[in-house]
Amino acid sequence: MQRIESGIGQMEQVMKEKAWEIVKQFYAELSRLPKSKRILDILSEEELRHLQAHQAQNLQRLASLQPEEYGEHEAIALNVGRIHAIVGLDRDELANGRSILMEVIYQLVKDDVSLEAMAVYSQRLSQDLAYQLKAYQNLADSQQSILLEITKTAWSAQNYTDLIQQAVKILANHYDIGVCAIGRPDEKGVFHFEHVESNLNKVALNVISSFDPPPVVHADDPSGQGPTGRAWRSGKIERVLNFKTQKSPHDIQAMELGLRSCAAIPLRSPDQPMSFAVLLLFSIYPGGFIGKLQETFINLIQSVLGSAIARLKIEDNYTPVVSLLDRQHISALLHSDALQFHYQPILDLRSGSVTKVEALARLMNDDQILTPDIFLAALSPDDFLEMYVRGLNRALLDRQRWLERGIDLDVSLNLPPAAMNDFRYLEATRNALTIHECCPKRLTLEMLENESLALCDNQQTLLSQFKSLGVLLAQDDLGSGHSGLTRLRTLPFDGIKIDRGIVKTPDGAKDIGNARDALRFAYQLTRLGHSLGKWVVVEGIENPEMLEAMMILGVDAVQGYTVAKPMPADQLPAWVNAHSGAPFILALDGVLPRLAKSIIREERLSIVQLYRQNARKAASDRPNLAAPST
């Protein structure tokens, strides 16, 4: 035992003298191996010297290792193995390199230490290798866990914003990813980072999201030569292996954050040729995720997120590009007093009076009023819930105040598709009805259901629970391409709202053919709704002729600028009083009312003709019972 300890002491002294020589010869041998050479060539001279210095220190530490330091040794070896895996050194190459290292050590120290000391040192090197290989397995296990989370997100995400926020957050928590970002170019080809997450520091979020100049996707622009632009154009994964040695736009800004490499991953639906977005993974180590584990990992991430884009039909229902800074700003506005609600009257065509108003969200951005078509694309699921809860309570409170002034109006409010997967919406609705002592039938919830989110049994059960509260349910934007006829038949809707696009005629009554088609379409949808026992509202009525045409076609109610624009709650009582008893529907003799009447006549004539045809056919099919002549 004393002899072995004495030999180890000799090894410790020899390593102090020869560790640097061993490392230099070892790296000279490694440079002859293709895979190892590829990694070494990525490094700058400074990084290579730093790596060699760490290798020399590790050799000396193994020679002087004491029993009480075994735990520390394992932690250090696991970290070194993790770095080897991250920079792209394969397991086989690591094991092969360790054999080369042992041979170099033996040749340089065999005359200075005993065989027993060499045996002990060899065992320590083998244990060090075992720890490093364990790190590879840990990395693979972590990647598998990340993939499972990403896959779950891909199938549960409710919209594009939900998808990118969850996916980027999951990836940024992976220990070999320093920063994760995702974005798309705008119509000018300027790339905007829509969400960024980092496990480094918050500074990285702001720097990455506001690269100056911003990346572009044009090949003829220097800012388009980075990995983002190349990935967008090629549809392939593009890398920067080392920002220090591979010139790239924004390399200085990346290095200031401690980032050394990145991979740009284009995302698209499997059936689409063009990229839809680019996911960027930044690492604090060189290598650009080129190892076998990393390549497999990011290829699977690309496939899963591409499938999520296809499931959500994001490419068909294009979501506007909203930068991370704009998303953060809009979210902050939403959670402040900047969130307000305006009310648009809905005219009952049977009584000729306004009996209901729809609550519409607005965001006050300084002196600018932001409408939903501007800010909805930036909202997360929690933002949608916040908007719904505040909107519902605000609308029911305003209704109470109007009632105190003798104005009795029903209230309608949009129910986000996310409500079909989130029980909190149901509880919020139940609580609001109780707090404001509102009769449930005075509240209508309008649901726009995206085609990609077909209601499963659990979702239909949740929708039925809304119905059990006693509120009215309406299918919004029927005919827009989002709301389907199957749901109209199978789900418990009380009414439907026909999308404004159905009755929109760009040239008004000048284009008789287009106007006739629009009216005929609205008429058939109205008949369909009535045949299913549902009331029908048409949105987007912007001229008096169209309003009267809707009345002729049997529509129950209309909504649009011809009736009134959305207005703040405190302006509504004065508007109602000013229009009380005033006729909205005039006996107009315009083109659209005449077309509506002609459609009704054509429908009645076709019914009469069909009846006569059936009668003649029935008569001809009767047997001739007359007596034969003699």
Side-chain angles (χ1 to χ4, degrees), residues 153-160 163 267-277 301-319 450-454:
T153 295
W155 284 101
S156 64
Q158 298 158 8
N159 53 37
Y160 176 68
L163 174 67
L267 303 177
R268 61 179 177 83
S269 297
D271 58 345
Q272 295 292 330
M274 296 295 295
S275 300
F276 178 77
I301 291 294
Q302 182 184 39
S303 176
V304 170
L305 292 181
S307 297
I309 290 172
R311 181 184 71 83
L312 293 170
K313 296 187 177 179
I314 297 172
E315 290 168 317
D316 296 334
N317 309 317
Y318 185 72
T319 304
N450 189 290
E451 286 284 0
S452 62
L453 297 176

Side-chain angles (χ1 to χ4, degrees), residues 21 166 208 264 282 285 358 494 626:
E21 181 182 358
Q166 289 195 58
I208 296 293
F282 292 87
Y285 301 107
E358 180 180 0
D494 298 283

Side-chain angles (χ1 to χ4, degrees), residues 304-546:
V304 170
L305 292 181
S307 297
I309 290 172
R311 181 184 71 83
L312 293 170
K313 296 187 177 179
I314 297 172
E315 290 168 317
D316 296 334
N317 309 317
Y318 185 72
T319 304
V321 177
V322 184
S323 70
L324 174 63
L325 297 180
D326 287 340
R327 288 178 187 275
Q328 292 173 335
H329 178 62
I330 288 174
S331 182
L333 290 176
L334 186 75
H335 289 77
S336 71
D337 292 338
L339 176 62
Q340 299 182 8
F341 288 86
H342 289 188
Y343 298 90
Q344 186 170 34
I346 298 174
L347 177 65
D348 186 327
L349 294 180
R350 298 183 185 278
S351 66
S353 59
V354 170
T355 57
K356 181 186 290 188
V357 292
E358 180 180 0
L360 300 168
R362 299 289 186 265
L363 281 181
M364 303 303 297
N365 185 27
D366 296 328
D367 296 331
Q368 183 184 13
I369 299 178
L370 303 182
T371 54
D373 59 313
I374 296 175
F375 65 78
L376 283 184
L379 301 188
S380 68
D382 286 342
D383 290 333
F384 273 108
L385 178 63
E386 172 77 8
M387 183 172 65
Y388 175 77
V389 173
R390 290 179 61 184
L392 177 60
N393 283 279
R394 181 77 253 177
L396 296 185
L397 177 61
D398 287 335
R399 181 183 178 277
Q400 279 184 318
R401 291 173 176 172
W402 297 329
L403 196 57
E404 292 170 359
R405 299 178 62 174
I407 299 173
D408 189 5
L409 295 172
D410 293 350
V411 175
S412 184
L413 184 74
N414 284 306
L415 181 67
M420 296 302 96
N421 297 294
D422 193 336
F423 193 78
R424 292 177 295 175
Y425 283 89
L426 180 65
E427 287 301 305
T429 306
R430 180 184 289 112
N431 292 339
L433 290 170
T434 301
I435 292 171
H436 299 286
E437 299 179 343
C438 177
C439 174
K441 289 187 177 181
R442 308 307 297 272
L443 173 65
T444 299
L445 298 179
E446 302 177 11
M447 191 179 78
L448 171 61
E449 177 62 21
N450 189 290
E451 286 284 0
S452 62
L453 297 176
L455 292 183
C456 63
D457 290 342
N458 290 338
Q459 292 171 323
Q460 291 195 38
T461 299
L462 190 55
L463 187 62
S464 297
Q465 288 180 307
F466 274 99
K467 184 67 177 173
S468 68
L469 294 178
V471 301
L472 301 182
L473 298 177
Q475 180 164 347
D476 197 11
D477 290 348
L478 183 67
S480 67
H482 299 285
S483 293
L485 295 179
T486 300
R487 284 186 294 272
L488 180 61
R489 178 180 63 84
T490 59
L491 298 182
F493 292 118
D494 298 283
I496 61 174
K497 298 188 75 174
I498 297 177
D499 182 64
R500 66 183 65 246
I502 297 297
V503 296
K504 185 176 182 180
T505 53
D507 296 326
K510 296 179 181 178
D511 186 347
I512 299 296
N514 186 37
R516 182 186 293 274
D517 289 342
L519 293 178
R520 184 177 284 113
F521 198 1
Y523 176 57
Q524 295 301 334
L525 288 177
T526 300
R527 291 187 62 199
L528 174 63
H530 287 165
S531 69
L532 294 173
K534 306 178 191 305
W535 42 259
V536 179
V537 178
V538 177
E539 300 177 300
I541 302 302
E542 298 180 355
N543 65 73
E545 282 195 21
M546 184 61 78

Side-chain angles (χ1 to χ4, degrees), residues 58-75:
N58 189 50
L59 292 177
Q60 294 178 51
R61 184 172 57 251
L62 287 176
S64 61
L65 192 64
Q66 300 299 317
E68 63 270 16
E69 298 174 331
Y70 288 166
E72 181 184 358
H73 169 224
E74 179 179 2

Side-chain angles (χ1 to χ4, degrees), residues 73-311:
H73 169 224
E74 179 179 2
I76 293 173
L78 284 170
N79 186 56
V80 172
R82 179 173 66 87
I83 295 173
H84 282 154
I86 290 171
V87 300
L89 185 65
D90 295 338
R91 300 184 201 210
D92 294 343
E93 196 82 350
L94 176 63
N96 192 20
R98 189 51 56 98
S99 298
I100 294 173
L101 177 61
M102 278 299 304
E103 179 63 25
V104 170
I105 292 173
Y106 177 75
Q107 292 298 329
L108 291 179
V109 306
K110 63 182 180 180
D111 297 331
D112 301 316
V113 298
S114 65
L115 290 177
E116 291 86 349
M118 279 295 302
V120 172
Y121 194 75
S122 176
Q123 290 175 359
R124 292 180 179 179
L125 281 173
S126 297
Q127 184 61 60
D128 187 78
L129 174 62
Y131 288 145
Q132 291 195 35
L133 291 175
K134 181 181 178 181
Y136 279 71
Q137 186 59 51
N138 291 344
L139 178 63
D141 292 343
S142 175
Q143 290 177 343
Q144 181 66 24
S145 176
I146 292 290
L147 279 169
L148 289 174
E149 289 188 66
I150 291 290
T151 302
K152 181 179 178 181
T153 295
W155 284 101
S156 64
Q158 298 158 8
N159 53 37
Y160 176 68
T161 298
D162 189 20
L163 174 67
I164 65 173
Q165 288 188 352
Q166 289 195 58
V168 169
K169 185 174 183 179
I170 291 169
L171 288 168
N173 286 329
H174 191 34
Y175 56 71
D176 64 337
I177 298 174
V179 177
C180 181
I182 193 170
R184 292 175 292 160
D186 59 21
E187 65 278 1
K188 296 180 180 179
V190 178
F191 194 85
H192 297 274
F193 291 99
E194 298 178 285
H195 198 69
V196 182
E197 291 279 354
S198 173
N199 57 19
L200 296 176
N201 52 62
K202 297 302 180 183
V203 175
L205 303 182
N206 295 329
V207 173
I208 296 293
S209 60
S210 56
F211 270 154
D212 186 23
V216 299
V217 297
H218 303 304
D220 58 353
D221 190 310
S223 294
Q225 298 306 313
T228 305
R230 299 199 313 270
W232 178 266
R233 294 191 299 272
S234 70
K236 300 177 181 178
I237 297 171
E238 300 285 349
R239 293 176 170 84
V240 174
L241 301 181
N242 191 342
F243 284 116
K244 278 193 173 183
T245 59
Q246 185 178 348
K247 285 298 180 182
S248 174
H250 315 110
D251 50 4
I252 295 177
Q253 296 173 68
M255 286 189 291
E256 288 175 348
L257 294 173
L259 303 174
R260 286 295 175 266
S261 64
C262 81
I265 308 166
L267 303 177
R268 61 179 177 83
S269 297
D271 58 345
Q272 295 292 330
M274 296 295 295
S275 300
F276 178 77
V278 177
L279 175 71
L280 288 104
L281 307 180
F282 292 87
S283 175
I284 61 175
Y285 301 107
F289 306 91
I290 58 173
K292 284 184 179 179
L293 282 175
Q294 280 74 14
E295 285 190 356
T296 301
F297 176 62
I298 62 178
N299 284 336
L300 289 172
I301 291 294
Q302 182 184 39
S303 176
V304 170
L305 292 181
S307 297
I309 290 172
R311 181 184 71 83

Side-chain angles (χ1 to χ4, degrees), residues 570-582:
D570 57 358
Q571 295 180 14
L572 188 66
W575 182 91
V576 170
N577 291 331
H579 291 79
S580 178

